[in-house]
Each structure stands twice: as C-alpha cells, then as structure tokens.
Amino acid sequence: MTQLPGSYESYWMESVAGADHRALAAGLEVDVAVVGGGIAGICTAWELTRAGHSVAVLEADRIAAGVTGYTTAKLSSQHGLIYAQLLKSLGAEGARLYARSQQQAVEYVAEVSVQLGIDCELERVPAYAYAESSDQVEQIQAEAEAAREAGLPASFVTETGLPYPIAGAVRIEDQAQFHPRKYLLALASDMVGRGGHIYERTRVVSLDEGKPCRLTTEGGATVTARDVVVATHYPVFDRAMLFSRLEPSRELVIAASIPGEHDPQGMYITQEQNTRSVRTAPYGTGQRLLIVTGEKFKPGIGDVSRRYEELAAWTRDRFPGASITHRWAAQDNTTTDRLPYVGRFHPGAKHVYVATGFGAWGMSNGVMSGRLITAHITGQELPWSKLYDPTRLHPLREAPSLLKLQASVAKHFVGDRLPASHADSIEDIAPGTGAVVRVEGRRCAVYRDEDGDVQAVSARCTHLGCIVHFNDAERAWECPCHGSRFATDGTVVQGPANRPLEPRRLPTGTEDSDR
C-alpha cells in the first residue's frame, strides 16, 4: 500500500480530549446501569439522570470513543433510500412514524445544545441522497415522493453543490451536522453534575436478570440496578439471540482540507460505487474539512489497504486540491428489516433494555434511543415504541435478509475451518502483517511486528468461535461472523466478544525464524 498522508486517527478523537473517569473498583447500587458509553448510552443516561434517577454508565474503554468517536456525524432523518422501502413494508403510518422519530432527534440536539450552551459546531444543512447514473433516477424520484408522504420537507432535484454532475437527488431540508464528541462530552459533564456516575475501563462480562439485576465487571466488581440498558453497539449478551438478526459492516473514512469556497453546502450520500458519503466540518480559517466515507465491507474481509487507496483516489478526483489530513474506519450493524432494535431486550425481559442496529445512522438513532428507553423506564409511551420493538419479527419481510445473513455466517463458521490455512507457515508472515496459521494442530492468529517479533493468540473468536481474519490496514483481528474485533495481542477492541483471544505459545525458535 502507498502510504497515505495525514493522521491515522479520527478527527473527532484527535480534536477534543475527554475528561478521565476512573474504573469501577468496588460494588455499586443504582436505579439504572447503562452498559456502553457511546451516543445511545450517554443520551439515555443523561435523560434518566435529568428525570431524577440514579444512573451509572459502565464503559469498557473511554466514553464517546468507540463507534461514536469514528462516525461521520451526520444528524439526519434522511437515511439513504429508505422511505420508499418503509412505505412498501410498513405502510404510510409506519413510514411517518420513522420520519417523525428521526426528525425529532435532529431538532432535539439543536434544542439541547442551546439549553446547555454546547458549542458542538452544529450547522443546519440539507441532506441529499443522489445518483449519478440516469438508470437510478426513477428510484430517486420514488424516494422523494415517499419521503414527502412521510412528512419530511423533501424534493427531487437535479442540481446540488457537488463539484460534479448528478442525474438526480432527494433533497431534505432542515438537517444537521455537528461534532459528536463535543456534544456528548458536554452531556456527560452535565450528567455527572446532576449526580450521575461514569466509569471507564470497566468492561461488563455478565448479567443476572434478577430483582434487582446484577452486572459483573471484568475486574470482579458487582453493580446492582433495578433496570439495565445494553447500549454496547452490538449486544454483549446473547440471550436475546439478536446476533442472528444483525449484520455488521465497516466503512472507511478519508478527511481532507479544502478551501471554504469549495464547500458543497450539504450532506450527500449515494449507494453507487460501493457507497460514497460526503459532508464538511469547520477546519481553521478559510478552510473546511471534507469528510468522505465509503468502501463498505464486512469485518474480516481483507485488502482494507486497497480500499483506502480507492477512497483516497476518488476524493482527489472529485475534489481536486483536497489535502488528506485524517483517515479512520467506522463500524455499525444493520437489522434484517433496516429498523433499529430499541426497547425490551427479549420477550421475557422486564428490566433490561437494548439499543442496537442503527444501520450507519447512529447519530439520530442514538438520540432517539435515549428518549425512547427513558420513556420505557419512566412508564411513558411514545408513538413509535412498537416500530422499534426488538421482539418484533416479520417473517415474510425479513426472510430473504435473514437467510442471506445466516448463510454468510455459516460460510465463515464452517468454511474457515477447512484444511487450507490463511498462511502455510509462520515464516511466510512479513513484518507488519498477520495471518492464521496451523501450529501443532491448532489454528493460531499470528502477527509479526515491524521488528520481526511474533505474537500468537487463538484464532477462535471468543463470542461464538468463528475464525478471525487479519485487517491489514488497521492491524487488528476481526471476526467475519458478528464483527468482534481484537488487537494483535488479543485484547477486545469491539464486541460482541467480551473476552480476549487466548495467548498461544509457539514452538521454540519460531519467533526468530526469519532473523
């Protein structure tokens, strides 16, 4: 791979440092325990604290630093080409409820930012879903009509602020873009000021749904709570079997500085060319930060470096003079009917709630989830509660997506165990790369660093046992079945796995085999 310029870090993470919160070291009792400190978890905890509940956020790493710290941060009710599909699958009322719940989330962030005096760089701009090919115009026109019928200020247009021609686009007014960490860290600070608790480096590994509920952390501390909210992006507990209805995917992000006068004045997305999403953010005097997302792929699918190169080439081609400053990757999960799961964790759950399956639209869905779960816990009813109910199942509508997802999982679960290894021997692994190798009859995930030192861990994901694959660009082990990610030393980077890959001892002399 040609080395791309700029920082290999999210602009949101690099530009704002968060306050440190200590790890939980002893037992704790609260009204509500929120597992996960991303946008859904922080928004839920803030709402509940404001409603007078004692709340603790338990975050495995740092708050607003996981998926939320690596988002594109579009705050919008325009979620690609979704309203025509919703109109067909749910009817006019279902599409209207979805649009209303999402647009209310956009307006709510704007209102809260003013109320708390949060300078989160919030800008009101239109959102576009566009196509360059004339073959897609009819689909775009149908989407514009469906979005209008759903109650959104939508129109079909053929002109945009993009520096290249399009065949047509759905334009939706009154959307927003913002700095997600500035917003969420301010909410977290306000929450703590109201008596709430935040614990970082506190990974939850077990849940007992008793009365009260009990959570156990990796460090052995116990948290007792009347209610529990699982907001870990991909649920870390399997009892609801949601993993069979969630498909993980990753997208790459390229950020580049451009002159302010070249700002396309909006947020854009197309499904063409394996997805291309464009927006900008403030970036110094007279400049804007162009943020381009795309190259969607499943975790564990290799050649990520090539995908970065293709996205960078597209950015330079479409925005001549753009100077790359950052690059990072985002991950999300999509449900089999494209609607998030927000509500009671499973049919028998009385005090455990979940928020997941945002389908790459986590900003509005995270805010919506915080308000919806708070309504559940405080005994209120929102009009869209049933729309997002995790216990719903629409066999006819979901069957094709469900079968396709399970076939993909089965392919990896069985196929990755066939005799052929990902590499023939440890000697074949070049510095700075990794591969799965059979060592003394067992599959090992082996990484060789730039100095030639070798590190080996079990190749079996600790979630359900699929074989991990190496991501060459991010230097991480990824599970192609459900999206768990691990550092080269086996530590968990992203769930649903909550236990590290076990270390493996290599035969004597292997570590120095190429020296």
Side-chain angles (χ1 to χ4, degrees), residues 40 44 229-235 341-343 353-358 365 369-370 373 390:
T44 302
V229 179
V230 182
T232 54
H233 174 64
Y234 200 122
Y341 297 136
V342 184
Y353 304 85
V354 69
T356 189
F358 296 159
N365 275 310
S369 296
I373 290 177

mmCIF file of all heavy atoms in Angstrom, residues 40 44 229-235 341-343 353-358 365 369-370 373 390:
data_model
loop_
_atom_site.group_PDB
_atom_site.id
_atom_site.type_symbol
_atom_site.label_atom_id
_atom_site.label_comp_id
_atom_site.label_asym_id
_atom_site.label_seq_id
_atom_site.Cartn_x
_atom_site.Cartn_y
_atom_site.Cartn_z
ATOM 1 N N ALA A 40 -25.824 6.365 22.196
ATOM 2 C CA ALA A 40 -27.057 5.825 22.759
ATOM 3 C C ALA A 40 -26.962 5.743 24.283
ATOM 4 O O ALA A 40 -27.898 6.110 25.006
ATOM 5 C CB ALA A 40 -27.359 4.457 22.171
ATOM 6 N N THR A 44 -29.095 8.175 26.839
ATOM 7 C CA THR A 44 -30.018 7.515 27.755
ATOM 8 C C THR A 44 -29.704 7.879 29.197
ATOM 9 O O THR A 44 -30.605 8.222 29.978
ATOM 10 C CB THR A 44 -29.943 5.988 27.573
ATOM 11 O OG1 THR A 44 -30.248 5.645 26.222
ATOM 12 C CG2 THR A 44 -30.926 5.286 28.506
ATOM 13 N N VAL A 229 -29.589 -1.041 30.850
ATOM 14 C CA VAL A 229 -29.661 -0.689 29.431
ATOM 15 C C VAL A 229 -28.386 -1.192 28.757
ATOM 16 O O VAL A 229 -27.278 -0.835 29.168
ATOM 17 C CB VAL A 229 -29.792 0.830 29.231
ATOM 18 C CG1 VAL A 229 -29.845 1.165 27.733
ATOM 19 C CG2 VAL A 229 -31.019 1.368 29.953
ATOM 20 N N VAL A 230 -28.531 -2.036 27.739
ATOM 21 C CA VAL A 230 -27.395 -2.560 26.987
ATOM 22 C C VAL A 230 -27.244 -1.716 25.722
ATOM 23 O O VAL A 230 -28.009 -1.858 24.764
ATOM 24 C CB VAL A 230 -27.590 -4.045 26.630
ATOM 25 C CG1 VAL A 230 -26.373 -4.574 25.884
ATOM 26 C CG2 VAL A 230 -27.843 -4.867 27.898
ATOM 27 N N ALA A 231 -26.271 -0.815 25.753
ATOM 28 C CA ALA A 231 -26.055 0.113 24.632
ATOM 29 C C ALA A 231 -24.613 -0.027 24.159
ATOM 30 O O ALA A 231 -23.864 0.944 24.087
ATOM 31 C CB ALA A 231 -26.355 1.539 25.060
ATOM 32 N N THR A 232 -24.234 -1.244 23.821
ATOM 33 C CA THR A 232 -22.843 -1.574 23.503
ATOM 34 C C THR A 232 -22.589 -1.703 21.999
ATOM 35 O O THR A 232 -21.655 -2.394 21.588
ATOM 36 C CB THR A 232 -22.437 -2.882 24.191
ATOM 37 O OG1 THR A 232 -23.374 -3.914 23.834
ATOM 38 C CG2 THR A 232 -22.409 -2.721 25.691
ATOM 39 N N HIS A 233 -23.450 -1.070 21.208
ATOM 40 C CA HIS A 233 -23.315 -1.141 19.748
ATOM 41 C C HIS A 233 -23.800 -2.508 19.257
ATOM 42 O O HIS A 233 -24.813 -2.599 18.601
ATOM 43 C CB HIS A 233 -21.877 -0.866 19.328
ATOM 44 C CG HIS A 233 -21.611 -1.057 17.868
ATOM 45 N ND1 HIS A 233 -22.192 -0.285 16.890
ATOM 46 C CD2 HIS A 233 -20.827 -1.949 17.217
ATOM 47 C CE1 HIS A 233 -21.778 -0.688 15.707
ATOM 48 N NE2 HIS A 233 -20.966 -1.693 15.868
ATOM 49 N N TYR A 234 -23.072 -3.561 19.529
ATOM 50 C CA TYR A 234 -23.527 -4.920 19.265
ATOM 51 C C TYR A 234 -23.731 -5.550 20.644
ATOM 52 O O TYR A 234 -22.802 -5.564 21.451
ATOM 53 C CB TYR A 234 -22.467 -5.693 18.481
ATOM 54 C CG TYR A 234 -22.966 -6.917 17.751
ATOM 55 C CD1 TYR A 234 -22.807 -7.038 16.373
ATOM 56 C CD2 TYR A 234 -23.581 -7.962 18.425
ATOM 57 C CE1 TYR A 234 -23.247 -8.157 15.691
ATOM 58 C CE2 TYR A 234 -24.030 -9.083 17.760
ATOM 59 C CZ TYR A 234 -23.859 -9.182 16.391
ATOM 60 O OH TYR A 234 -24.311 -10.301 15.722
ATOM 61 N N PRO A 235 -24.932 -6.021 20.984
ATOM 62 C CA PRO A 235 -25.187 -6.507 22.342
ATOM 63 C C PRO A 235 -24.163 -7.537 22.799
ATOM 64 O O PRO A 235 -23.864 -8.490 22.076
ATOM 65 C CB PRO A 235 -26.584 -7.126 22.230
ATOM 66 C CG PRO A 235 -27.220 -6.392 21.094
ATOM 67 C CD PRO A 235 -26.108 -6.137 20.115
ATOM 68 N N TYR A 341 -33.284 -1.875 16.770
ATOM 69 C CA TYR A 341 -33.917 -2.543 17.899
ATOM 70 C C TYR A 341 -33.733 -1.657 19.126
ATOM 71 O O TYR A 341 -32.613 -1.503 19.619
ATOM 72 C CB TYR A 341 -33.273 -3.906 18.155
ATOM 73 C CG TYR A 341 -33.417 -4.898 17.015
ATOM 74 C CD1 TYR A 341 -32.331 -5.680 16.609
ATOM 75 C CD2 TYR A 341 -34.625 -5.068 16.352
ATOM 76 C CE1 TYR A 341 -32.455 -6.588 15.578
ATOM 77 C CE2 TYR A 341 -34.754 -5.977 15.310
ATOM 78 C CZ TYR A 341 -33.666 -6.739 14.938
ATOM 79 O OH TYR A 341 -33.788 -7.643 13.908
ATOM 80 N N VAL A 342 -34.815 -1.085 19.614
ATOM 81 C CA VAL A 342 -34.753 -0.213 20.789
ATOM 82 C C VAL A 342 -35.945 -0.530 21.681
ATOM 83 O O VAL A 342 -37.100 -0.304 21.290
ATOM 84 C CB VAL A 342 -34.778 1.280 20.398
ATOM 85 C CG1 VAL A 342 -34.599 2.153 21.644
ATOM 86 C CG2 VAL A 342 -33.710 1.598 19.365
ATOM 87 N N GLY A 343 -35.666 -1.076 22.857
ATOM 88 C CA GLY A 343 -36.747 -1.428 23.771
ATOM 89 C C GLY A 343 -36.343 -2.593 24.651
ATOM 90 O O GLY A 343 -35.163 -2.783 24.940
ATOM 91 N N TYR A 353 -33.076 -3.443 28.804
ATOM 92 C CA TYR A 353 -33.399 -2.783 27.539
ATOM 93 C C TYR A 353 -32.161 -2.773 26.644
ATOM 94 O O TYR A 353 -31.036 -2.871 27.117
ATOM 95 C CB TYR A 353 -33.880 -1.348 27.796
ATOM 96 C CG TYR A 353 -35.061 -1.284 28.730
ATOM 97 C CD1 TYR A 353 -34.877 -1.270 30.115
ATOM 98 C CD2 TYR A 353 -36.374 -1.257 28.237
ATOM 99 C CE1 TYR A 353 -35.960 -1.240 30.983
ATOM 100 C CE2 TYR A 353 -37.454 -1.225 29.101
ATOM 101 C CZ TYR A 353 -37.245 -1.212 30.472
ATOM 102 O OH TYR A 353 -38.323 -1.181 31.331
ATOM 103 N N VAL A 354 -32.406 -2.627 25.345
ATOM 104 C CA VAL A 354 -31.305 -2.656 24.384
ATOM 105 C C VAL A 354 -31.504 -1.564 23.335
ATOM 106 O O VAL A 354 -32.645 -1.169 23.043
ATOM 107 C CB VAL A 354 -31.215 -4.042 23.700
ATOM 108 C CG1 VAL A 354 -32.404 -4.282 22.785
ATOM 109 C CG2 VAL A 354 -29.909 -4.206 22.929
ATOM 110 N N ALA A 355 -30.398 -1.087 22.791
ATOM 111 C CA ALA A 355 -30.423 -0.159 21.651
ATOM 112 C C ALA A 355 -29.320 -0.588 20.707
ATOM 113 O O ALA A 355 -28.142 -0.548 21.055
ATOM 114 C CB ALA A 355 -30.199 1.279 22.113
ATOM 115 N N THR A 356 -29.685 -1.023 19.511
ATOM 116 C CA THR A 356 -28.697 -1.526 18.555
ATOM 117 C C THR A 356 -29.281 -1.518 17.143
ATOM 118 O O THR A 356 -30.463 -1.243 16.945
ATOM 119 C CB THR A 356 -28.250 -2.950 18.932
ATOM 120 O OG1 THR A 356 -27.149 -3.336 18.111
ATOM 121 C CG2 THR A 356 -29.374 -3.960 18.768
ATOM 122 N N GLY A 357 -28.427 -1.829 16.167
ATOM 123 C CA GLY A 357 -28.888 -1.976 14.791
ATOM 124 C C GLY A 357 -29.193 -0.667 14.100
ATOM 125 O O GLY A 357 -30.186 -0.557 13.381
ATOM 126 N N PHE A 358 -28.315 0.323 14.262
ATOM 127 C CA PHE A 358 -28.592 1.663 13.731
ATOM 128 C C PHE A 358 -28.318 1.802 12.237
ATOM 129 O O PHE A 358 -28.615 2.834 11.650
ATOM 130 C CB PHE A 358 -27.794 2.714 14.509
ATOM 131 C CG PHE A 358 -28.175 2.816 15.967
ATOM 132 C CD1 PHE A 358 -27.308 3.376 16.879
ATOM 133 C CD2 PHE A 358 -29.401 2.346 16.418
ATOM 134 C CE1 PHE A 358 -27.656 3.485 18.227
ATOM 135 C CE2 PHE A 358 -29.759 2.448 17.766
ATOM 136 C CZ PHE A 358 -28.889 3.012 18.674
ATOM 137 N N ASN A 365 -30.405 8.009 15.517
ATOM 138 C CA ASN A 365 -30.934 6.837 16.213
ATOM 139 C C ASN A 365 -30.463 6.759 17.657
ATOM 140 O O ASN A 365 -31.197 6.301 18.533
ATOM 141 C CB ASN A 365 -30.543 5.563 15.464
ATOM 142 C CG ASN A 365 -31.516 5.233 14.353
ATOM 143 O OD1 ASN A 365 -32.719 5.199 14.566
ATOM 144 N ND2 ASN A 365 -31.004 5.004 13.157
ATOM 145 N N SER A 369 -32.980 6.762 20.664
ATOM 146 C CA SER A 369 -32.954 5.650 21.615
ATOM 147 C C SER A 369 -32.945 6.140 23.056
ATOM 148 O O SER A 369 -33.622 5.565 23.925
ATOM 149 C CB SER A 369 -31.718 4.781 21.361
ATOM 150 O OG SER A 369 -31.766 4.188 20.091
ATOM 151 N N GLY A 370 -32.166 7.176 23.324
ATOM 152 C CA GLY A 370 -32.119 7.706 24.680
ATOM 153 C C GLY A 370 -33.474 8.147 25.161
ATOM 154 O O GLY A 370 -33.872 7.886 26.308
ATOM 155 N N ILE A 373 -35.941 4.777 25.379
ATOM 156 C CA ILE A 373 -35.690 3.897 26.535
ATOM 157 C C ILE A 373 -36.058 4.610 27.834
ATOM 158 O O ILE A 373 -36.602 3.995 28.758
ATOM 159 C CB ILE A 373 -34.232 3.422 26.536
ATOM 160 C CG1 ILE A 373 -34.007 2.449 25.376
ATOM 161 C CG2 ILE A 373 -33.879 2.751 27.859
ATOM 162 C CD1 ILE A 373 -32.593 1.962 25.227
ATOM 163 N N PRO A 390 -37.604 -4.582 19.869
ATOM 164 C CA PRO A 390 -36.653 -5.648 19.499
ATOM 165 C C PRO A 390 -37.288 -7.027 19.379
ATOM 166 O O PRO A 390 -36.708 -7.918 18.755
ATOM 167 C CB PRO A 390 -35.637 -5.622 20.648
ATOM 168 C CG PRO A 390 -35.752 -4.250 21.239
ATOM 169 C CD PRO A 390 -37.196 -3.899 21.110
#
